């Protein structure tokens, strides 16, 4: 919790606070403070790569609880590539998908109820986020996205969900 408070005082988060009317970073695991995830995705056999999903589906399935507030909120996601050796960042997405509704199911996996989605049932135009370390994307939590295998090395990323006043 102390490290989180220090991080919130960094130049990045100070700048973020001055440019957005945001309420907090989500606490999806109910730890008592905002959660910033560091992800390590190893190469072969690609077991660390997350499947295609929209983060909003996790909320709909009860994984995480939105803060109770007296104003309308919305969620946006920040995802940063910290380490990559290819032009791919390890993030792929479907442009414009946040404006559509997709059918998904759920299953109990890794201790949580998680969404499952059959991307092969849709004619999706999937793009890779290209870049180098430091590349990032900010997106609506209804955007379809997933991890992307990187053939020869571990991908390192950081992500968090910002709860904004609508």
């Amino acid at each position: 919790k102390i490290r989180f408070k220090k991080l919130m005082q960094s130049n990045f988060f100070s700048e973020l606070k001055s440019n957005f009317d945001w309420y907090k970073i989500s606490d999806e695991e109910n730890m008592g403070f905002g959660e910033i995830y560091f992800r390590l995705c190893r190469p072969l056999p690609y077991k660390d790569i997350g499947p295609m999903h929209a983060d909003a589906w996790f909320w709909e399935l009860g994984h995480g609880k939105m803060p109770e507030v007296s104003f309308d909120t919305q969620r946006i996601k920040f995802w940063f590539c910290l380490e990559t050796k290819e032009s791919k960042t390890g993030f792929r997405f479907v442009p414009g998908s946040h404006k559509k509704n997709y059918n998904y199911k759920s299953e109990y996996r890794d201790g949580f109820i998680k969404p499952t989605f059959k991307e092969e049932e849709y004619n999706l135009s999937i793009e890779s986020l290209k870049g180098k370390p430091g590349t990032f994307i900010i997106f609506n939590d209804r955007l379809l996205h997933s991890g992307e295998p990187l053939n020869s090395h571990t991908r390192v990323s950081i992500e968090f969900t910002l709860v904004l006043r609508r």
Side-chain angles (χ1 to χ4, degrees), residues 22-28 30 33-34 59 63-75 161-165:
W22 62 285
Y23 175 63
K24 67 187 318 183
I25 291 176
S26 67
D27 178 10
E28 290 144 33
N30 297 312
F33 53 89
W59 294 94
H63 183 84
K65 184 178 175 204
M66 282 292 289
E68 293 184 26
V69 293
S70 62
F71 50 85
D72 262 354
T73 62
Q74 66 181 11
R75 294 178 302 265
T161 302
L162 198 61
V163 179
L164 297 171
R165 295 176 200 267

Side-chain angles (χ1 to χ4, degrees), residues 70-87:
S70 62
F71 50 85
D72 262 354
T73 62
Q74 66 181 11
R75 294 178 302 265
I76 59 171
K77 188 77 172 214
F78 287 70
W79 184 94
F80 297 83
C81 173
L82 297 180
E83 177 60 33
T84 187
K85 290 184 176 40
E86 302 173 18
S87 64

Side-chain angles (χ1 to χ4, degrees), residues 15-162:
E15 192 68 26
L16 197 58
K17 286 178 185 176
S18 71
N19 285 298
F20 289 100
D21 186 12
W22 62 285
Y23 175 63
K24 67 187 318 183
I25 291 176
S26 67
D27 178 10
E28 290 144 33
E29 306 292 332
N30 297 312
M31 298 181 79
F33 53 89
E35 297 169 30
I36 300 174
Y37 295 93
F38 286 85
R39 303 243 188 239
L40 301 172
C41 295
R42 298 165 290 189
L44 298 172
Y46 306 132
K47 291 183 179 180
D48 299 334
I49 305 297
M52 187 66 69
H53 67 281
D55 288 344
W57 298 346
F58 286 92
W59 294 94
E60 292 167 6
L61 292 171
H63 183 84
K65 184 178 175 204
M66 282 292 289
E68 293 184 26
V69 293
S70 62
F71 50 85
D72 262 354
T73 62
Q74 66 181 11
R75 294 178 302 265
I76 59 171
K77 188 77 172 214
F78 287 70
W79 184 94
F80 297 83
C81 173
L82 297 180
E83 177 60 33
T84 187
K85 290 184 176 40
E86 302 173 18
S87 64
K88 291 181 182 179
T89 62
F91 184 94
R92 62 188 197 127
F93 64 101
V94 180
S97 59
H98 64 290
K99 297 177 184 176
K100 300 176 184 173
N101 288 316
Y102 295 92
N103 293 321
Y104 68 93
K105 297 191 178 186
S106 64
E107 68 181 13
Y108 186 80
R109 187 173 74 242
D110 303 324
F112 297 101
I113 296 175
K114 295 185 177 185
T116 60
F117 177 70
K118 294 185 178 183
E119 63 181 90
E120 64 276 1
E121 292 181 3
Y122 295 89
N123 186 23
L124 300 175
S125 178
I126 302 170
E127 291 187 20
S128 295
L129 179 64
K130 300 205 182 307
K132 55 187 178 185
T135 299
F136 66 94
I137 183 170
I138 302 170
F139 58 96
N140 183 293
D141 79 339
R142 299 206 66 79
L143 182 78
L144 282 180
H145 66 284
S146 71
E148 182 171 40
L150 301 177
N151 296 327
S152 61
H153 67 283
T154 299
R155 184 236 322 154
V156 182
S157 61
I158 185 174
E159 61 188 78
F160 62 89
T161 302
L162 198 61

